[in-house]
Amino acid sequence: MPAVEASAISVRIGASTLLHDVSLSLEAGTTVAVVGPNGAGKSTLLRTLAGELKPSSGTVRLKGRRISSYSAGALALHRAVLSQSISVAFPFTVADIVRMGAGERAGPAVAALVEAALAEVDLEGFRDRIIMTLSGGEQQRAQFARILVQVACGEAAQGPGVLLLDEPTASLDLRHQLDVLEIARRCAARGVTVVAILHDLNLAALFAERVIVLDRGHIAGDGPPSETITDAILEDVFGVAGAVGRAAAGLPTVLPHAARPAGRDKSSPAGGAHH
Ligand code: ADP
Ligand code: MG
């Protein structure tokens, strides 16, 4: 049984169609990168897979059950979502934020999970700092630690679940980008299904067994990095002339050298603006 299965999901808001008839099936323990231009519908897809956004048509199943049939509490144990931007309005400490991953749970086991997650994201020394005094990248790592605690609690209760990450590396320095993706891969090795929206195609190739390319609400490519990160995709989907080379392990490496000349941009069939 797939961990996540989307059947012909469409998301329409007003006159715009954000996702057109998207179907995909993710086996448990897979690492998946979702890539695509700004406005392609990546966050919309992730939020729909997470059960946060109800599709206008089509269904999402999580571990074989319709996602809409889970209670909020059960859903939190089967899947964790790291949103694209999270602003915290109250003066919580880093440890408070990370502990929120455990929900109502408390006690020594939770404390140990919090400590382990802080260590994994390299924030042990930040435990008592007020979250908004941290840099953007440090805050992002704290939020990632919170999600790791949630995943661990879910795993203990229900077995490996699904981890959905919306641009988890966006504000991070190179070393912490690699750390976060390495931690996500270790989750996958334990059976957690990991879906990460990434902009850096080189990181996507390094991280994921499977890359899904979204373009204006459609799947424009789906397969291993060697088949999805190609000169044609760079040109057609990203509008970039580039040269996809091959690294030692046979992984594609992308070195963009020019944007597609102005005037050749494709207009969005949905009429939605790209950002
Ligand atoms: P991505 O994450 O790939 O950058 P999103 O999934 O956030 O893109 O958004 C896809 C498209 O849908 C964008 O063009 C965005 O402006 C549009 N969009 C997102 N939310 C809404 C909304 N509530 N109403 C209308 N359009 C929206
Ligand atoms: Mg997005």
Side-chain angles (χ1 to χ4, degrees):
M1 185 215 307
V4 178
E5 192 166 31
S7 312
I9 51 173
S10 293
V11 173
R12 288 180 286 272
I13 298 182
S16 308
T17 302
L18 279 47
L19 287 180
H20 302 257
D21 252 355
V22 169
S23 295
L24 51 85
S25 174
L26 310 179
E27 291 308 317
T30 330
T31 47
V32 182
V34 176
V35 304
N38 294 149
K42 304 178 297 296
S43 296
T44 303
L45 175 62
L46 206 82
R47 293 181 55 218
T48 309
L49 297 182
E52 290 180 352
L53 189 66
K54 193 174 159 1
S56 315
S57 56
T59 54
V60 174
R61 287 176 182 276
L62 176 64
K63 298 181 180 175
R65 256 178 69 190
R66 268 176 181 261
I67 200 156
S68 53
S69 74
Y70 286 81
S71 67
L75 200 52
L77 293 174
H78 287 285
R79 66 96 181 95
V81 196
L82 182 62
S83 305
Q84 192 161 4
S85 60
I86 300 157
S87 58
V88 180
F90 291 96
F92 289 112
T93 66
V94 170
D96 290 335
I97 295 285
V98 177
R99 211 176 293 118
M100 284 175 198
E104 306 281 278
R105 288 165 190 72
V110 166
L113 289 177
V114 169
E115 286 311 308
L118 283 170
E120 280 210 285
V121 304
D122 204 16
L123 285 180
E124 287 157 297
F126 291 69
R127 185 179 290 104
D128 299 320
R129 286 274 299 276
I130 300 297
I131 185 90
M132 52 266 233
T133 69
L134 269 57
S135 79
E138 289 159 354
Q139 290 191 37
Q140 198 169 18
R141 280 151 53 207
Q143 296 292 351
F144 183 61
R146 171 177 59 82
I147 292 298
L148 290 177
V149 169
Q150 187 186 340
V151 166
C153 288
E155 235 174 312
Q158 302 286 351
V162 177
L163 175 55
L164 301 165
L165 304 168
D166 197 344
E167 301 193 23
T169 55
S171 323
L172 303 188
D173 62 56
L174 195 51
R175 145 105 198 281
H176 288 112
Q177 291 179 33
L178 292 171
D179 279 357
V180 160
L181 294 180
E182 185 49 40
I183 295 165
R185 282 171 65 99
R186 284 205 298 271
C187 290
R190 300 196 307 263
V192 176
T193 310
V194 186
V195 181
I197 297 176
L198 297 172
H199 276 299
D200 185 325
L201 300 178
N202 292 307
L203 275 183
L206 206 59
F207 159 72
E209 297 158 85
R210 176 170 170 190
V211 178
I212 295 175
V213 185
L214 264 193
D215 184 17
R216 295 168 294 162
H218 297 269
I219 292 184
D222 182 355
S226 58
E227 290 168 21
T228 44
I229 300 178
T230 60
D231 287 347
I233 290 277
L234 276 189
E235 165 74 30
D236 295 348
V237 175
F238 292 93
V240 168
V244 175
R246 292 278 172 247
L251 291 174
T253 57
V254 179
L255 190 63
H257 48 76
R260 178 166 50 206
R264 292 183 58 202
D265 197 15
K266 298 174 288 185
S267 65
S268 165
H274 287 204
H275 307 276

